[in-house]
Amino acid sequence: ITLSVSNVIVAAGTPALTYSLVHHISVLVNPTNCDTATVSVTVTAPVIDAVTDTATPTNGYTGGTAVTNVLANDTLNGAPVTVGATGNVTLTPVTVPAGLTMNADGTVTVAAGTPAGNYNVTYQICDKVNPTNCDTVTSIVVVSAPAIDAVNDTPTPVNGTPGGSTPSVLANDTLNGSPLVPTDVTLTPTSVPAGLTLNPDGTVTVAPNTPAGTYPVVYTICE
């Protein structure tokens, strides 16, 4: 803070506080004719605003960056905030659920294998010049489930007299657009006709002496 002839100049970046300036005036022709006074100058902190973000759903199966940057819509004194050595704010994670990571640059990462759901991520930004000038906000990170698709199979004839097994019904099913790994899903028989058995590996066993016919086998797969 500088006291000029007619006013008080506050430099940019001055911390918020009430400052007391003592000034002395005297008459030039009578230097001993003087008076002293104190002026108080109150410097206010700029408005800091952490704004809730709207996140694009992130596939929890593969993981990835859920929020490009939570700071993108936050402001200090009406201008975008920045972090890092030359930034104007500090970023502090307050509440970050398991499976999510808030990075120093303001991005939020979702780990692969994170269950689908809405996750509340709370963080705080503080003015570097005025460390008590802070704002806290909660944003929702949406983690989506991968697409799972059980596909109808083309019947494979099995001789009913000796019996036998079909290929796995899981062979053409997909999880997240790729052929599924049987251990990544649970297989549940929904409707299996008498004489047939749906095995844990997805194959269907036909018992010996099963009458000829086309048998519908219904099953469910879950991630």
Side-chain angles (χ1 to χ4, degrees):
I1 293 179
T2 304
L3 180 62
S4 71
V5 174
S6 59
N7 53 26
V8 176
I9 300 171
V10 178
T14 300
L17 196 64
T18 297
Y19 296 85
S20 294
L21 291 87
V22 178
H23 62 282
H24 178 86
I25 57 174
S26 60
V27 180
L28 289 177
V29 293
N30 298 292
T32 59
N33 184 16
C34 307
D35 196 13
T36 301
T38 301
V39 60
S40 294
V41 176
T42 300
V43 178
T44 60
V47 175
I48 189 168
D49 191 17
V51 182
T52 298
D53 299 88
T54 301
T56 301
T58 301
N59 189 323
Y61 184 75
T62 56
T65 301
V67 181
T68 304
N69 196 321
V70 296
L71 304 174
N73 57 348
D74 298 347
T75 58
L76 177 65
N77 207 40
V81 302
T82 55
V83 290
T86 60
N88 56 12
V89 299
T90 56
L91 169 65
T92 303
V94 177
T95 303
V96 181
L100 277 63
T101 302
M102 174 167 280
N103 306 304
D105 62 356
T107 56
V108 176
T109 303
V110 176
T114 300
N118 292 344
Y119 295 81
N120 290 331
V121 175
T122 303
Y123 68 93
Q124 182 182 70
I125 53 173
C126 294
D127 178 4
K128 278 189 175 180
V129 174
N130 303 283
T132 59
N133 183 27
C134 304
D135 196 19
T136 302
V137 72
T138 298
S139 291
I140 298 175
V141 173
V142 180
V143 177
S144 61
I148 188 168
D149 191 15
V151 182
N152 290 340
D153 298 88
T154 301
T156 300
V158 176
N159 190 321
T161 299
S165 294
T166 69
S168 175
V169 297
L170 303 175
N172 60 345
D173 297 346
T174 60
L175 178 63
N176 205 45
S178 300
L180 61 80
V181 177
T183 54
D184 285 345
V185 299
T186 55
L187 171 64
T188 304
T190 302
S191 174
V192 181
L196 277 64
T197 302
L198 180 59
N199 304 305
D201 63 357
T203 58
V204 177
T205 300
V206 178
N209 300 317
T210 298
T214 299
Y215 296 81
V217 175
V218 182
Y219 65 94
T220 300
I221 52 173
C222 294
E223 184 190 355

